[in-house]
Amino acid sequence: MAFTIKATKAGYRTRTFKHAKIAKKMTQSVTKEQPITKSTTANQPTSTSNNTDTTTPIVSAETAKQQALATKIAGYQAELSEYQSELETILNSSDYAKFIELTNECDQTVQEIQKYTSQLVAAQFAAAQTNSTEFKSLATELEQKLNASRTKLEQLNKQIPFPSIQRQIEAIQTRIGTLKTLISALS
């Protein structure tokens, strides 16, 4: 029974064969280069023959989509691993440890400033109401503590070596979240 096989692949020469024996030879030569996809020409029915080689890999469009999707997911997973490794390196660095230490000290100093400010306001109000020297001296003492805490906060802010570390971490965490979402959506 006569039939026609047309083999095409981007980057390769298109070949058309009309006999089963030639098709078998074509299958062997094309298989060495790349697997081919099954294609028929218009107005010609597809038929099978006992002489065809059934070991020829035929990649369906669905299989090709699945392979492309698997490749895409693998690429995202590799990128995700790289970002997670980079994040872990930053979080384990001595610069980050120093950044966290100074940031915590800044937070404590801000809390001191808030405490001294509220105490100072209360002492100044009491001094104004009672005209007491005791409240006036307390207000002066609290004002000195408040100014010392403000100076300490300014110095700490200057000591923080890498304020961009936090922005870098946030950018990496955002990308990790995006990659996880993409991987779960495609899986």
Side-chain angles (χ1 to χ4, degrees):
M1 189 181 289
F3 61 92
T4 303
I5 295 179
K6 184 175 184 178
T8 61
K9 173 76 175 166
Y12 294 96
R13 186 179 75 204
T14 300
R15 298 178 79 183
T16 303
F17 298 93
K18 295 184 180 186
H19 300 287
K21 289 183 180 179
I22 296 173
K24 192 171 186 179
K25 290 181 186 176
M26 183 274 313
T27 301
Q28 291 170 354
S29 66
V30 172
T31 304
K32 292 177 187 174
E33 295 171 2
Q34 286 290 338
I36 61 169
T37 59
K38 187 174 183 179
S39 173
T40 59
T41 58
N43 299 330
Q44 291 185 354
T46 303
S47 63
T48 58
S49 171
N50 292 337
N51 295 336
T52 60
D53 185 359
T54 58
T55 62
T56 303
I58 297 175
V59 180
S60 69
E62 186 62 32
T63 303
K65 285 181 185 178
Q66 289 174 351
Q67 289 172 348
L69 182 63
T71 301
K72 191 177 239 182
I73 290 172
Y76 287 147
Q77 287 172 333
E79 187 177 353
L80 176 63
S81 294
E82 288 174 21
Y83 277 112
Q84 287 173 331
S85 175
E86 184 179 347
L87 179 61
E88 192 171 316
T89 300
I90 291 171
L91 295 178
N92 291 328
S93 71
S94 61
D95 291 336
Y96 183 71
K98 185 175 182 182
F99 171 78
I100 292 298
E101 178 185 328
L102 290 172
T103 302
N104 288 338
E105 198 170 340
C106 282
D107 290 342
Q108 291 171 353
T109 306
V110 167
Q111 290 173 357
E112 284 177 10
I113 289 171
Q114 291 171 342
K115 179 181 82 173
Y116 292 144
T117 301
S118 65
Q119 289 175 351
L120 176 62
V121 168
Q124 287 174 336
F125 181 75
Q129 294 295 320
T130 62
N131 204 11
S132 167
T133 56
E134 183 180 323
F135 284 119
K136 287 181 183 178
S137 65
L138 178 61
T140 304
E141 181 184 330
L142 287 169
E143 195 169 354
Q144 289 172 351
K145 287 181 177 180
L146 180 61
N147 289 334
S149 292
R150 287 179 178 156
T151 303
K152 180 181 177 183
L153 182 61
E154 288 175 14
Q155 291 172 347
L156 286 171
N157 280 327
K158 290 178 183 176
Q159 289 177 16
I160 295 178
F162 302 102
S164 65
I165 286 177
Q166 191 63 34
R167 287 189 298 269
Q168 187 178 9
I169 289 171
E170 288 170 0
I172 291 172
Q173 288 173 332
T174 299
R175 185 62 182 154
I176 286 173
T178 301
L179 288 169
K180 285 181 177 180
T181 302
L182 285 170
I183 290 169
S184 68
L186 293 174
S187 297

